[in-house]
Structure formats: C-alpha cells, structure tokens
Amino acid sequence: MAAAELGARPLLAGRGIWLPLAVLALAGCAALGLSLAVGSASVSPEALWAVLRGEGDALSRTLVLELRLPRSLSAFAVGGLLAVAGALMQVLLRNPLADPYVLGLSGGASVGALAAMLAGLGGAVITGSAFAGAFLSTLLVFGLAHGTGSWTPSRLLLTGVVVAAGWGAVITLMLALSPAERLPGMLYWLMGDLSYSRTPWPPLALLLIICLLLMPLGRSLNVMARGPLQAAALGVNVRPLEWTIYLVASALTAMAVTTAGSIGFVGLVVPHMLRLLLGNDQRLILPACALAGGTLLVLADTLARTMIAPEQLPVGVITALLGVPTFLYLLYRSR
C-alpha cells in the first residue's frame, strides 16, 4: 500500500523524520494550550501562564488543572491510540479504508466494556473486557472476510460493516435491558464522551510504550505493506508480525474505548492525510499518527465544549462530521 497507490505523491517526503515530528509536536502543544484557555469560561493567556507556573488564583487553577487538563490529555491520548491503531490496520490489510470503527473493533470493545459495567465491575476488568471484545471482533472480521481464499478490500469492508452492525444490535439489546437510571450516561458514553476522563496517564503511557515498541518494527512494517508474499520472500516472519498487529490494534482500541467511549473515523482520517504529506515510511507515520491523532481529537473536543457552551456535544459527533465525508471520498477513489 504505497502512497502512489492511493493516488497521491507525498508532499513532504525526503524532509527527514525529525522535522515533521517536531512540527506535529508543536501543533499538539498549541492545541493543548487552546483547549486549556477556551470553554464556557475563558482563561486569558496571562492567567493560563501563571497557572502553569504554579501561580494564579484558585478558580483558574481549579478550572485548568483539575477540569480541563485531565480531559485534554485524555483526548490527546485517545486520538493518538485510535490513529496508530488505524495506521496498523491499514498496513496489515493494505487498504486505506481500514479503521477500528469501520471494521467493528470499536463496537466489539464497547460491548465488552458495557457488559463489565452492567455486571457492576470496574477498573482493569472493564479494560480487559473491552480488549477481549475488540480482539474477538478482529478475529470475526478477518476470519469471515478471508474465507477459503484471500480477502479483498470490498469483502473486508463489507464484512466489517456487517460485524459492526451486529455489535450495534447487541449494544441496543444491552441498553434495552439496562436500568433506566443508567441509560443517559451509557448513551452519551457510546457517542464518545470525555467529560469523565479524569485519569489520562494509563492511555498516555500505553501510547508511548506502543510507539517505542513499534519503532524497531518499522522496516518490517514497510515490507509488510507490500504484501505478505513479498514480505516472506524478503525474510519477514509474516505470521507472528500479523498476530502482533492484531493484538496491538485491539489493545489500543480497547484502551481508547474504555477512556472515552466509541469515537469514530480518527483512525481513518489521520493516517490517510499523513501518508499524503509524508509518504508511507512507517518509522515516521506511526509516531506522526500518535501526535496528529492526539492533536485532532483535542481540537475536536475543544469544539464540542464550546459550540453550544455551556452545553457540551459528544466529541464523537465532531469526528463523525469530519470522518464521514472523508470515508465517502476514499470509497469513491477506490472504485
């Protein structure tokens, strides 16, 4: 799945690895600063700088450090997790339409997490249940799409849509059987909600660890993007690498779902746009996805908080408004 196969010439190819990552890191910092400053109650740049230095009045410190900073860091982590998961799926399937949301991974993770919640469980059990649901969905999609032959982009896409619809039916059944007092929170969470994300460090740590672990695999992933036969001919141990991608994508999706609910299309839009700009070198694309995905979701969450302030929209609504036209455009280009 080279960039040329997507109908685009990389615009910034040959500029090195560190310059694009530095630009994306600065954009991420700017997005975080904006998210801390704006909202139903704005914080001036001077007051924000004072709070970040450990000064400022008590109201500003509470607003920035206790309310907005954990939410913004959670949004950054979730966006990075989904974008990296989407990039891995697209490498594995050599299909720019692959995405954890479109292929049903987010739906499977949501079912697992909701089942744990309804059972009265919490903490690591919810995360483990979401991982099991995401991995089960991965096995279903790839197993059914593969059949007795090799998968094709259209077969995989159709299978993913059907499996996602099946998970949607299961979620509807679970909601119908849930106590009435839990329904509003569960529905809002399913649309993608960062309002109760108060512990951003686990998803941030997972994002950093996965990016560090994937960097040595960059060359193998580059070869894998050309197809399993070519990868095997060039000495890549294909089957363990495929299972590694399955497990990592499932873990990333599960952590994102347990942190913020089901948020769609980040894993579709971000990797595709970065490939148009940077080419298809996974040693650059994967860390770039972590930074760009985080930046995108921070900006989307900031927009969701401010569009109809003091009311808040689910961030999944904003990402869907961005992702659906992009998905339709990519589907049209891949006819």
Side-chain angles (χ1 to χ4, degrees), residues 98-318:
D99 166 69
Y101 185 82
V102 174
L103 294 180
L105 272 71
S106 293
S110 297
V111 169
L114 285 177
M117 292 177 186
L118 290 176
L121 305 174
V125 179
I126 294 179
T127 303
S129 299
F131 172 78
F135 188 63
L136 175 60
S137 184
T138 303
L139 294 179
L140 283 174
V141 172
F142 295 152
L144 294 174
H146 192 277
T148 57
S150 60
W151 56 56
T152 62
S154 58
R155 178 189 293 180
L156 179 74
L157 186 61
L158 180 60
T159 305
V161 169
V162 171
V163 171
W167 288 129
V170 174
I171 289 172
T172 302
L173 177 62
M174 296 173 72
L175 292 175
L177 299 176
S178 300
E181 62 273 12
R182 294 189 183 182
L183 281 178
M186 294 172 67
L187 288 171
Y188 214 79
W189 178 82
L190 285 171
M191 289 186 287
D193 182 23
L194 287 156
S195 300
Y196 299 100
S197 301
R198 295 289 180 260
T199 54
W201 307 117
L204 280 173
L206 179 64
L207 179 62
L208 178 60
I209 291 170
I210 291 299
C211 287
L212 292 176
L213 292 178
L214 289 176
M215 289 300 288
L217 298 177
R219 293 183 183 274
S220 298
L221 292 172
N222 286 338
V223 178
M224 189 72 182
R226 298 180 177 273
L229 295 179
Q230 280 186 286
L234 293 173
V236 175
N237 201 348
V238 173
R239 187 59 61 185
L241 183 59
E242 287 181 338
W243 279 104
T244 299
I245 295 176
Y246 292 156
L247 291 170
V248 169
S250 298
L252 295 175
T253 304
M255 180 60 77
V257 167
T258 55
T259 302
S262 183
I263 297 176
F265 297 106
V266 175
L268 171 71
V269 174
V270 174
H272 178 71
M273 295 306 173
L274 288 177
R275 279 197 303 271
L276 294 180
L277 293 173
L278 306 177
N280 202 36
D281 187 348
Q282 303 307 314
R283 293 169 296 180
L284 172 59
I285 289 297
L286 292 176
C289 281
L291 294 171
T295 301
L296 174 64
L297 199 59
V298 168
L299 293 175
D301 183 58
T302 303
L303 188 61
R305 288 192 292 109
T306 56
M307 281 185 65
I308 55 173
E311 301 295 327
Q312 298 183 18
L313 292 173
V315 68
V317 173
I318 305 299

